[in-house]
Amino acid sequence: MEHYNVTGMSCAACSARVEKAVSQVQGVTSCAVSLLTNSMGVEGTAQSADIIRAVEKAGYGATLRGAAKQNSPARDEIPADTETPKLLRRLIASAAFLLVLMYVTMGHNMLSWPVPKFFEHNHLALALLQLLLSAAVIVINQRFFTSGAKALISRAPNMDTLVSLGSAVSFGWSVYVFFRMTGMVAAGADSMAVMEVYHDQLYFESAAMIPALITIGKLLESISKGRTTSALKNLIRLRPKKARLIRDGQEVEADIDEVRPGDIFAVKPGDAVPADGVVVEGESAVDESALTGESVPADKAAGSTVSAATVNRSGYLKCRATRVGEDTTISQIIRMVSDAAATKAPIARIADRVSGVFVPAVIVLSALVVAGWLIAGAAPGDAIARGICVLVISCPCALGLATPVAVMVGNGLGARNGILIKTGEALETVGKIDIAVLDKTGTVTEGTPVVTDVLPADGVSEDELFEAAASLEAKSEHPLARAVVLEAESRGAAVKEVSGFKALPGNGIEAYLEGSGLAAGNRKFIGSAVGSDGGLFSAGDRLAESGKTPLYFAKDGRLIGMIAVADVIKKTSPAAVRHLKGLGVRVVMLTGDNEKTAAHISAEAGVDEVVANVLPDGKEAHVRALRNGGTVAMVGDGINDAPALVRADVGIAIGAGTDVAIDSASIVLMNGDLEDVAACVRLGRGTLRNIRQNLFWAFFYNIICIPLAAGLFGLRMDPMYAAAAMSLSSVTVCLNALRLNLLKIRDDSRDRPKRKRKKTGSPEVKTGGTVVISVEGMMCEHCEAAVRGALESLGFVESAQADHAAGTAALRLSGSFDEAAVRAAVENEGYVYGGVI
């Protein structure tokens, strides 16, 4: 995905127009424009010059971000906030003129505050002063007018068009009234009498107040938007700028760009690790909280891995660089967060559809309001004032910000807790999951076998057993052998050199140690080589029943003991499964192990269902089948999990897993902790709830305020109050999104099962029956009508009734129910099909 900075956008209508223009460029496969970050993410084969040309043709500006390095999310660049200082300067300059103007119009005219003698009885001079002061404010805020005019000429009106039209009409009408007053006075009329007749038709203060108040709103919005992107900025700041390279035995400080794979670098206490690498010398505790969210420093020694941007807290380390620059873990995290900011959650499509027609509809509505009041006999000044209020109070900006601000804050919260979410769609989907599919090895279990039980034969000590076992197994490359050797080393057992080593596939191994014959293997192999077993075979059978693998050892034809090895369950797995079930998520475990081992692990973990003997290519098929029963999340860490991760509605990779698994997943858990899956669900649900709150406010605001501005409830609104209300709406959406930072994603005290959306399998419905389906994304009666029309166009649907409050639609059938056709009809209208209830 290539990222572009886009300039000139002011509302959702702007972002929709840019997105539409770029999507039409040949070679573009997908395009997502973010009003929040003023950025655009584009995928496909189109040339950047063609994309920039399309944006400019639409009336906006675009530059390729991080052009020096492909796929770089603006390396070491924290986009400077130039907008907030400009808005602040404009506001201060506007306020200087506006305060004088308000003193004259409100203070003197309404409260009889004193003015210089020259103006006391010269009402035309006062009106002229108002004209000049309001003109000054308009000039200071000319950006609204130039942007609005360009958009109108391009036949793509936006928020600036509404603001500039409202202010310009107020100013133009007031100038007309002023010259009319001047003409009457010049003809001999008394200026006091003329002023009494026309003073309430002068809207100079409104013409100035509208752009000034919108500037206040834009300033607050810019500050709020800056806070929502702080997570990304903080991640970029974490990147170290310097490295201590070891060259010719000496430490040399160098720029981070000079570090290459294979270089040896030193890290002193307090220094940030400059690149991903492996410790070759030294011991220390490294603070990895920036990547994992884990506050306790991790111990590092020779052979341990370190990651760029983590901080050395105690000892001196020498490390060999393995990944540098844009390949480091921190750079990949930044890229993921940046990519997520440039993608859209499915629920955002509602706002996009509305925004595309919103501004033109408001302009037409404003004209109709003016015409309607004139026909009703209202004074021209009153009719125009109501039309201006409709123009100014309408706010497409809140609609455009509703989803991206929540997604950005949600992604930032996840990143701070070691949860990396690649797309807005993944963040939304994870909050809706019905089924969590867990791979066993490395996900539910530790992924590496360890010794669990040691049973030496009579007359043999554990040390003697481990000396023989480790000496024999040291020559083997089997993972179980490695577990035995590690356990022996931890016990201080001597590992001696053996001769005549021979591997017997499917049975075991043989060798000679100091003239004695050693053998290790399964029960069948060792049982044929020894006589009495002293009850060890029976004990081994019992351990095998519990999912462990017994390894038998013999010396000179005599059984000397048994060591059981198993891939043990992670300590956090039972709690993680319990939390998922508390959220109403059904937990399924897939494994290639035998049924006994699978049953034992599943019982320990507490999963709802286990599927054993699954071949690597079978996981994808099982996930595909489970999707008939609801929204599925696949959690895995290995190469064999990649197809299933892609097939699932949302793929979640354990951070300690393979690169293939991480690339295939849409969410990465950096801590490698299964409990973070439940944290993901809480984060997704919290973000989705916040988005719905924002969209509700944006729609509710416009549904209520536009009729108020039009005067339908008998109220007469001043245009300046309409401007204040418009500014407040956008700021409210941003502030509500910032509340997400208070969400405790690891707190299970408020966990609640979500409402069940689907049933397993396809429903069997007779002709003439009724089916109730879940439809997510409906916000109003218009949405209900769109869904109803789409469903009733299907041949087997006699009638449909949609309910946006309940998020459902009831279908009365005249034929056999076709779920695929229903899903397509709902999704083609831009809503989310949730299945049969």
Side-chain angles (χ1 to χ4, degrees), residues 223-243:
I223 294 171
S224 298
K225 284 163 68 175
R227 288 177 180 172
T228 62
T229 58
S230 61
L232 179 58
K233 294 176 182 177
N234 289 337
L235 284 172
I236 294 174
R237 289 191 184 99
L238 286 174
R239 283 174 164 163
K241 304 294 187 297
K242 299 288 184 179

Side-chain angles (χ1 to χ4, degrees), residues 21-29 42-47 50-51 54:
V22 173
S23 297
Q24 293 174 348
V25 175
Q26 187 173 1
V28 172
T29 55
V42 181
E43 291 183 342
T45 58
Q47 297 296 315
D50 295 334
I51 292 170

Side-chain angles (χ1 to χ4, degrees), residues 717-728:
M717 183 181 290
D718 192 290
M720 73 175 85
Y721 297 141
M726 179 187 181
S727 299
L728 181 63

